[in-house]
Amino acid sequence: MIEDFFSSIVGLEALKRQMKEIYAQVVIAGKRADAGLKKNQQVLHMVFKGNPGTGKTTLARMVARLFHEAGVLEKGHFIEADRSDLVGEYIGHTAQKTKDLIHKALGGVLFIDEAYSLARGGEKDFGKEAIDTIVKCMEDHHDELVIILAGYPDEMEDFLTINPGLASRFPLKLTFKDYSWRELSAIAAGMLEDREYQLTPAADVKLQEHLRSVCSRSLLNFSNARYVRNMIEEAVRRHAFRVMAEESPQKEVLMTLEAEDFSFPKDEERVH
């Protein structure tokens, strides 16, 4: 069953192995309890570190479903939040907003994206109050939900030093590496198949060459699979505009992207 969950995820082999080990630990802990053996306390809160488009949200949703099926999470629902969902506008507001959100997430997964933004804003900012409230609620509801903090690698490392008890409460740290050009190509192929499009040989060559070029450069905040998705959606729009000129296009034409449908930025700064 665990293999089925990850069959749709391209690449990230080391991370998938780590996730399978975590899941195995959860399952075997349940079997040990059923056998009358001592059930070791497991802290399942996680930190996901990686650039945009590397699958952090996708895997977080899988964690909710997996842990629900394993009997760890009662409901298995998934709640995604950011700074605006946690930080209030006046004294006392932040703590209540954070508590309400955590209460809503009980039985499932609370995924806090760009968690390091809670630590920005200076001494008078209420973000620190949100962090302190999260830490307190984790003690009060330690086995009732899984909290996943996510964001850029370097920023997340700095963030975990903000509160003395923060890092120790998130023992599971998973790193989402950038995709290789071959992996991005496989992702593109999957997206095209889902949308029922195909490439001409020339379009395929143009796409492969562009992905190789993009991955050979160190681009700041490169958005990986998100970049590929945006690239394909732009090609689909160009294709639609081109095909509109035909009065009665054949099925083959309606589903085939040509090389001219792909237009790539020459300026590295536009790749995001």
Side-chain angles (χ1 to χ4, degrees):
M1 188 269 291
I2 184 70
E3 297 295 337
D4 294 337
F5 268 81
F6 293 120
S7 62
S8 62
I9 297 182
V10 174
L12 304 176
E13 297 305 325
L15 184 144
K16 286 191 284 190
R17 171 59 186 266
Q18 187 178 0
M19 196 65 237
K20 290 174 185 178
E21 290 175 352
I22 294 169
Y23 177 73
Q25 184 182 12
V26 168
V27 171
I28 295 304
K31 293 183 181 297
R32 283 174 57 86
D34 292 341
L37 296 170
K38 184 176 180 180
K39 185 177 180 179
N40 297 322
Q41 286 287 350
Q42 299 177 82
V43 179
L44 296 172
H45 304 300
M46 307 178 188
V47 172
F48 286 2
K49 299 182 294 182
N51 286 326
T54 47
K56 298 186 295 296
T57 305
T58 298
L59 188 62
R61 291 182 185 278
M62 289 184 173
V63 167
R65 293 167 55 198
L66 277 171
F67 286 3
H68 174 59
E69 293 187 11
V72 175
L73 295 175
E74 182 181 356
K75 299 177 182 177
H77 60 303
F78 177 84
I79 294 179
E80 184 174 358
D82 57 22
R83 177 188 166 89
S84 64
D85 299 305
L86 297 162
V87 178
E89 300 174 357
Y90 50 83
I91 295 174
H93 189 207
T94 293
Q96 192 57 52
K97 282 187 73 172
T98 303
K99 287 177 183 177
D100 289 346
L101 190 62
I102 288 177
H103 187 267
K104 185 179 177 182
L106 293 180
V109 167
L110 175 59
F111 178 78
I112 304 176
D113 199 13
E114 296 186 354
Y116 43 77
S117 65
L118 296 173
R120 295 174 177 169
E123 289 185 12
K124 295 183 179 180
D125 185 72
F126 295 124
K128 185 177 183 299
E129 185 180 358
I131 298 171
D132 295 340
T133 304
I134 290 170
V135 171
K136 174 65 167 58
C137 288
M138 289 172 72
E139 288 295 318
D140 297 340
H141 306 286
H142 62 90
D143 59 351
E144 297 179 71
L145 82 163
V146 171
I147 298 178
I148 300 176
L149 307 180
Y152 295 113
D154 292 342
E155 285 87 341
M156 288 306 298
E157 287 292 338
D158 293 339
F159 172 68
L160 292 174
T161 66
I162 295 297
N163 184 294
L166 198 59
S168 62
R169 286 174 170 80
F170 291 87
L172 302 174
K173 298 175 178 63
L174 284 72
T175 299
F176 291 70
K177 294 183 178 180
D178 287 341
Y179 290 107
S180 69
W181 75 266
R182 287 187 175 85
E183 290 168 341
L184 290 176
S185 177
I187 290 170
M191 290 179 178
L192 288 166
E193 183 178 358
D194 287 342
R195 291 164 172 77
E196 295 189 324
Y197 282 94
Q198 62 187 16
L199 302 178
T200 63
D204 187 44
V205 168
K206 187 174 183 179
L207 176 62
Q208 304 297 331
E209 289 180 348
H210 176 68
L211 291 177
R212 277 197 295 268
S213 174
V214 167
C215 291
S216 68
R217 296 176 254 155
S218 298
L219 299 174
L220 182 63
N221 299 339
F222 177 59
S223 59
N224 289 275
R226 194 179 304 165
Y227 174 72
V228 171
R229 182 193 65 206
N230 292 341
M231 177 183 65
I232 288 174
E233 289 178 352
E234 182 181 2
V236 168
R237 287 194 299 271
R238 287 173 173 269
H239 165 269
F241 184 74
R242 175 172 57 80
V243 173
M244 273 286 290
E246 299 188 28
E247 186 173 339
S248 300
Q250 298 295 313
K251 180 179 179 180
E252 188 81 5
V253 173
L254 290 169
M255 63 184 298
T256 303
L257 299 179
E258 305 275 356
E260 65 189 272
D261 297 322
F262 290 91
S263 177
F264 302 122
K266 293 182 173 60
D267 185 352
E268 292 182 8
E269 291 182 357
R270 289 177 58 198
V271 180
H272 55 77

